[in-house]
Amino acid sequence: MSQSSNSMSLEDTVRKGPNAVEEFMAYVVAKNPGQPEFHQAVREVVESIMPVVQANPAYRKAKILERMVEPERVIMFRVPWVDDRGEIQINRGYRVQMNSAIGPYKGGLRFHPTVTLSVLKFLAFEQVFKNSLTTLPMGGAKGGSDFDPKGKSDGEVMRFCQAFMTELARHIGPDIDVPAGDIGVGGREIGFLFGQYKKMTARFCGVLTGKGIQYGGSVMRPEATGYGAVYFAQEMLAQRGEGIRGKTAAVSGSGNVAQYTVQKLLQLGAKPITLSDSGGTIVDEAGIDEEKLAWVMELKEVRRGRISEYAERFKTAKYYPGKKPWWVKCDLAFPSATQNEIDGEDAKMLVANGCHCVCEGANMPTTPEGVRVFLEAKICYGPGKAANAGGVAVSGLEMNQNSGCMRRSRDEVDHQLQNIMKSIHENCVRYGKVGDWVNYVQGANVAGFIKVADAMLAQGVV
Ligand code: NDP
C-alpha cells in the first residue's frame, strides 16, 4: 500500500464509495462519448479501487485516477494497401499508448473488423493493470486495425502488414513501445511486421515480441497465455483444496489462447469438451484429445479453416451454429475468444450446471451482469487481467532476452511462467480475500493499481 496517509475512516469510504464511482463514471462517459467498451473496463476497475483512492489523499490530490483514464498518446492513421486484384483498400490503424509509469509501453495488436478506438482503449487500460501484476517493468498499450485477415491471401496480409508498419514504426522501439500479437495477429503477421520495421530502420532489435525462434523469439511465447490461464486456474482451485485432474472444461475460441489452454488442460489430466469460433461451437463429449487438438492446430494455423469442420472430421462431436459453449455441463470454463462473450444468462447457466471455476483467457469476456453472477455465487472467478497475464509476462522475458542477447530454455521459461502466475495469484489473494473466499476482481484491480499509482506519484505531474 502507498506511503500516503490514511485519513479517512472505513465508514466514510463505504458511505462515499458508490457515489464517488457514479460521479467519476459520469466524468469518464462525458469525456469519452460513444466508447462503451472503454466505459465498461474503467467502471470495473474503478468500482474496486475507489475505496483505496478515497483512503489516500495523495492519490486524490495528484488526480491519479483522472490521469489514468486519459491515454498518454493515441495515434490513429490511414493504412492504404493493394489487394490481389490490384484494387486499393483503405483500413484504419491505431496505437493507444496508455501509461508508461512503470516501463515502456507494451501490449498487443489486434486485426479484426470489430476494432474501434473504444475497443483498443479498453484493451490498453486493462493492459496497464495486467502488466503491473506480472511484476515485470512494462507500461500498457494496445493497437491494431479494422483489417480482417480472414479470407485474405498471404500476399495481401503481407502488404497490409507492411503498410501498417510504415506508419507505426515512427512511434515504437525497444525502449519506447513493444507491440505483440492478439486476435488476428499471430506468428505470420509478426514476421511481416518485423521484416518491414527492420527494412525501414536498418536495425535488428527487439521491437516486437512473439517473433519466430529463429529471429529472436522466446520459446513458449505461443503457449504462454493459454498455459498461464490453466496455471492460474490451478492456483485458484488449490486455494479451495481441489485439483484440475478429472475435471471437465468448456473452452471458447479456437485460436492461439484456446489451443494452448486445451493442451495444458490435457497435460494436467482434465477433459476439454468444447471449442468455438465466430460461426458456432463444437461439443465433443468424448473429449478433445492430443490427436484432435493437433488436427485443430493444423486446421486453424495452416489451412485457416472453420471449427465446423471438426464435427465433420470427428463423429463424437456435434456442431452448433451460432451458439456459444456456455450451456454445456462442465466444472471449469475458459472463455478464450473475445470480449463480452459471457452475458448474465450464460453466467447463470454455467453456475446452475455446476461450473465453479471461470478463468478468463480472453480480455473482458464476461459482461458486468455475468461478473455479478459469478461474484454472488462465490465461485473461483479469475478475471482476464490476472488470468491471461502469462502471455505478456513471457513477452517481457523475450524483451529481456533480446536486450541481453541471451536465450532461455523451455524449462526455464515454463518455470518462470509458473512462478509469475503464482505470484499474481498471491497478490490477488492479498488484496481480494473476503473470509474464506477470494474476490479476484478486487484483488487484481487493487494490486495492479497501487504499483502504477505510486510510480505516477513519484514521477510528478507528467
Ligand atoms: P486468435 O485470433 O488466435 O483467436 C481468436 C479466436 O476467437 C478465434 O477462434 C475467433 O474466431 C474467435 N473470435 C474472435 N472474435 C470473435 C467474436 N466476435 N465472436 C466469437 N468468436 C470470436 O486470438 P487469440 O487467441 O490470441 O486471442 C483470444 C483472446 O485472448 C482475445 O480476447 C485476446 O485479447 C486475448 N489475449 C490474447 C493473448 C495472446 O497472447 N494472444 C494475451 C492475452 C489475452 P474467428 O476465427 O471466427 O474470428
Side-chain angles (χ1 to χ4, degrees):
M1 184 79 63
S2 143
Q3 299 296 310
S4 354
S5 70
N6 184 340
S7 66
M8 191 174 280
S9 70
L10 184 63
E11 200 186 328
D12 272 349
T13 302
V14 172
R15 184 159 47 78
K16 291 191 178 163
N19 275 347
V21 169
E22 292 315 320
E23 270 170 34
F24 186 77
M25 284 314 301
Y27 159 86
V28 170
V29 171
K31 257 202 132 177
N32 303 276
Q35 298 184 354
E37 294 86 359
F38 180 57
H39 304 161
Q40 184 183 334
V42 171
R43 175 180 281 279
E44 191 249 311
V45 168
V46 169
E47 281 177 353
S48 309
I49 63 172
M50 191 53 90
V52 179
V53 173
Q54 290 192 316
N56 285 274
Y59 290 160
R60 294 207 308 277
K61 185 154 183 283
K63 301 222 164 142
I64 294 293
L65 212 46
E66 288 83 345
R67 278 153 67 188
M68 272 191 184
V69 295
E70 200 61 42
E72 288 178 12
R73 197 170 296 103
V74 175
I75 301 137
M76 195 163 130
F77 49 98
R78 177 170 72 199
V79 190
W81 57 282
V82 180
D83 70 17
D84 285 348
R85 291 167 303 154
E87 255 185 59
I88 295 170
Q89 301 288 338
I90 295 119
N91 286 99
R92 188 172 288 169
Y94 308 83
R95 186 71 179 164
V96 178
Q97 297 178 331
M98 200 74 180
N99 194 305
S100 61
I102 63 166
Y105 306 109
K106 180 90 197 91
L109 296 172
R110 177 175 291 192
F111 292 169
H112 196 270
T114 57
V115 163
T116 59
L117 185 57
S118 171
V119 167
L120 294 178
K121 279 175 71 179
F122 118 62
L123 288 164
F125 186 72
E126 288 272 301
Q127 197 80 43
V128 172
F129 298 87
K130 181 189 308 191
N131 292 4
S132 164
L133 284 170
T134 62
T135 70
L136 302 173
M138 299 181 289
K142 202 83 187 192
S145 173
D146 57 358
F147 172 75
D148 188 357
K150 274 204 285 290
K152 305 285 190 303
S153 70
D154 284 351
E156 289 177 319
V157 171
M158 181 182 75
R159 290 194 294 282
F160 172 80
C161 287
Q162 290 174 341
F164 182 84
M165 182 53 87
T166 300
E167 174 62 33
L168 186 69
R170 305 169 210 274
H171 310 286
I172 60 175
D175 306 319
I176 303 168
D177 183 354
V178 183
D182 190 75
I183 292 179
V185 180
R188 173 182 64 168
E189 290 75 17
I190 292 288
F192 293 147
L193 292 163
F194 182 76
Q196 180 71 357
Y197 182 87
K198 186 165 65 66
K199 184 176 170 71
M200 290 175 68
T201 60
R203 289 182 67 206
F204 191 111
C205 59
V207 68
L208 291 160
T209 57
K211 301 186 290 298
I213 304 286
Q214 318 83 340
Y215 59 97
S218 168
V219 286
M220 271 191 69
R221 176 59 188 89
E223 293 91 329
T225 307
Y227 278 23
V230 179
Y231 291 147
F232 196 81
Q234 209 174 14
E235 294 294 324
M236 290 198 291
L237 288 168
Q239 184 80 13
R240 289 169 49 129
E242 283 183 43
I244 279 196
R245 183 162 297 281
K247 299 268 189 322
T248 300
V251 180
S252 67
S254 47
N256 170 270
V257 179
Q259 292 168 17
Y260 289 104
T261 295
V262 168
Q263 188 166 80
K264 185 50 75 179
L265 283 168
L266 289 172
Q267 288 169 7
L268 296 179
K271 183 181 170 192
I273 57 166
T274 69
L275 281 170
S276 70
D277 60 21
S278 49
T281 293
I282 59 101
V283 181
D284 186 344
E285 294 288 357
I288 301 165
D289 60 19
E290 284 290 354
E291 197 189 321
K292 292 168 178 170
L293 175 62
W295 185 88
V296 170
M297 286 177 164
E298 201 264 341
L299 171 78
K300 286 288 168 177
E301 302 313 310
V302 182
R303 290 195 282 128
R304 302 194 183 269
R306 310 302 299 156
I307 203 64
S308 55
E309 295 170 48
Y310 183 105
E312 293 159 21
R313 172 72 180 76
F314 302 107
K315 294 301 164 209
T316 48
K318 194 163 162 27
Y319 177 62
Y320 297 88
K323 280 213 157 195
K324 300 182 280 184
W326 313 127
W327 52 273
V328 303
K329 193 167 164 41
C330 61
D331 305 302
L332 320 173
F334 290 86
S336 310
T338 193
Q339 63 269 13
N340 292 332
E341 53 169 315
I342 298 183
D343 62 21
E345 290 309 308
D346 297 326
K348 281 184 202 156
M349 256 186 307
L350 278 165
V351 173
N353 280 333
C355 177
H356 60 283
C357 176
V358 177
C359 193
E360 296 183 343
N363 284 307
M364 205 169 76
T366 311
T367 63
E369 297 73 35
V371 173
R372 214 163 298 131
V373 171
F374 295 147
L375 296 183
E376 279 169 14
K378 296 202 164 165
I379 63 165
C380 297
Y381 168 57
K385 63 171 77 67
N388 70 36
V392 73
V394 172
S395 274
L397 301 180
E398 181 175 331
M399 283 165 74
N400 171 265
Q401 180 175 290
N402 291 159
S403 62
C405 292
M406 34 110 54
R407 218 163 242 300
R408 287 190 182 83
S409 70
R410 197 178 164 84
D411 280 352
E412 277 176 286
V413 175
D414 194 25
H415 184 67
Q416 294 215 28
L417 173 63
Q418 289 188 49
N419 281 344
I420 289 171
M421 297 317 294
K422 219 182 250 273
S423 110
I424 294 174
H425 182 266
E426 277 164 13
N427 246 324
C428 290
V429 173
R430 178 170 171 210
Y431 292 105
K433 200 153 175 35
V434 186
D436 58 0
W437 171 68
V438 181
N439 180 339
Y440 289 92
V441 176
Q442 165 85 13
N445 287 336
V446 174
F449 169 77
I450 287 172
K451 184 169 160 195
V452 177
D454 287 351
M456 288 174 74
L457 269 188
Q459 291 169 25
V461 182
V462 290

